[in-house]
Amino acid sequence: MFNVGIVLSAGGSLGDPWHSGVFARMMETTGFDARTADLIVGTSAGSITGVGLRSGTSPLDRAAHHRGTPMSEQGAEIFGRVTTPWTETEDGPNFTPSSPKMSLRAVWPPWKVDPLRLAFGAFPRGRRRADSLATRVSETHPGRWPEQPTWVVAVRTDDGTRIVFGRDDIDAPIGDAVQASCAIPGVYAPKKIGRSEFVDGGLHSSTNADLVALLGFDLVIVSSVMTSTESARDWIGNPTRAWFSRKLDAEVEVVRNAGTPVLVVQPGPDEIGRLSTDLPESRAGAVDAGADAVDRTFSSIGGTGIRELLER
């Protein structure tokens, strides 16, 4: 039996379209259906894609949805479950730091300073609330949690610890977990679950691929829209993308050192130019960019062999 783990990165409004394009093209070219993955790990926008797949939406239908083209009857039924409109509210002014404790932990020990946790712990708390996201996700997947292994990554604000809903001993409905994973620090208010508050899992890593290192998969597929191939990295022009790329490199090395092959699909120079935040046109562009990145990756030396594995 061939076991596959999938890692879906953060990516804001273009995350789900990118992931949909990636796995739609894989389905078209190899027959691999991402809905059957033995584990899906989603961070922020990636968690939305992950829940969508676990709800039964095929990658082809997800891509069609973002392109504005007809879906299958099954896809239309699943998307039709969502009846709650997207709305956001905003709290009043609040200049209280998000988490002073997180900032303190980020500089200790001093030789392991974490600049992201240091900065975001000191930022004022986010004021926007997207409770409708939790409701819409729960409408997509009416059950409390998918039956197939699904992990949603967030960061606990009181100590900056990475939390994995679906794995760790923290009970939460799937919609609440996704809202927590998508709560961008300094923009959205932390999501309270139980006695703790949580923010975007991208605060730890846009991918969190190291979580699958010791699980013994035959293959791990990483779809990452916030990183880039080495030829497209620009520490001056886009330091955030370069930073997350370096973190992903380290995570992939951990997984490969454990004996697991890894296929990373991420933007190259050609795809980055088409990743714009001007919605809605950019959603279709992100789908196409993800599909093209798959073609490029499969044509590489290592990608050819992995494509043959998926075709079996």
Side-chain angles (χ1 to χ4, degrees):
M1 186 175 181
F2 192 71
N3 297 315
V4 179
I6 287 178
V7 174
L8 304 169
S9 78
S13 60
L14 299 184
D16 187 33
W18 165 274
H19 299 316
S20 300
V22 166
F23 289 102
R25 181 55 58 88
M26 283 193 187
M27 194 171 189
E28 291 169 339
T29 57
T30 71
F32 173 70
D33 188 341
R35 291 175 292 183
T36 67
D38 296 275
L39 172 66
I40 295 179
V41 179
T43 300
S44 197
S47 68
I48 296 175
T49 307
V51 174
L53 291 169
R54 291 308 200 203
S55 300
T57 319
S58 80
L60 296 176
D61 279 329
R62 299 196 68 78
H65 169 73
H66 291 299
R67 285 183 172 128
T69 56
M71 294 179 284
S72 71
E73 184 176 338
Q74 180 190 36
E77 186 277 323
I78 294 172
F79 275 103
R81 296 173 189 169
V82 180
T83 58
T84 299
W86 174 265
T87 58
E88 292 186 4
T89 59
E90 188 166 315
D91 297 336
N94 185 343
F95 300 103
T96 303
S98 295
S99 178
K101 186 182 290 187
M102 183 191 298
S103 293
L104 288 173
R105 287 178 177 267
V107 297
W108 192 262
W111 57 87
K112 290 186 177 181
V113 174
D114 185 327
L116 288 180
R117 283 177 170 81
L118 174 63
F120 284 117
F123 276 13
R125 288 172 60 89
R127 297 171 54 189
R128 290 161 62 180
R129 295 184 182 274
D131 294 335
S132 62
L133 173 59
T135 304
R136 289 166 63 88
V137 169
S138 296
E139 289 171 345
T140 302
H141 190 283
R144 186 172 179 82
W145 201 267
E147 292 184 6
Q148 297 167 291
T150 307
W151 294 356
V152 174
V153 185
V155 170
R156 190 165 55 201
T157 61
D158 57 3
D159 57 4
T161 299
R162 176 174 64 178
I163 298 298
V164 184
F165 294 103
R167 183 199 70 172
D168 298 343
D169 189 21
I170 300 178
D171 186 39
I174 189 66
D176 288 356
V178 170
Q179 183 183 351
S181 185
C182 293
I184 303 170
V187 178
Y188 288 97
K191 176 65 176 178
K192 188 170 184 180
I193 298 175
R195 296 182 178 180
S196 298
E197 291 185 328
F198 301 87
V199 291
D200 198 315
L203 182 58
H204 181 85
S205 164
S206 69
T207 43
N208 294 286
D210 58 305
L211 290 170
V212 304
L214 301 178
L215 300 181
F217 289 116
D218 296 310
L219 174 66
V220 167
I221 301 172
V222 180
S223 173
S224 177
V225 68
M226 292 189 69
T227 60
S228 68
T229 59
E230 286 193 24
S231 61
R233 293 179 191 176
D234 182 358
W235 281 96
I236 297 177
N238 197 330
T240 302
R241 186 178 291 277
W243 168 267
F244 283 129
S245 297
R246 188 174 70 173
K247 292 207 72 170
L248 176 57
D249 288 346
E251 294 167 1
V252 168
E253 183 177 3
V254 171
V255 179
R256 287 177 174 157
N257 286 343
T260 301
V262 182
L263 179 72
V264 178
V265 182
Q266 58 188 335
D270 293 339
E271 292 87 34
I272 286 178
R274 287 181 283 153
L275 293 173
S276 167
T277 56
D278 297 326
L279 295 176
E281 293 80 5
S282 61
R283 292 195 302 165
V287 172
D288 294 337
D292 290 347
V294 170
D295 292 339
R296 173 177 47 76
T297 304
F298 276 158
S299 67
S300 67
I301 295 174
T304 301
I306 290 179
R307 174 177 177 165
E308 292 174 352
L309 286 175
L310 291 172
E311 289 174 336
R312 294 179 181 177

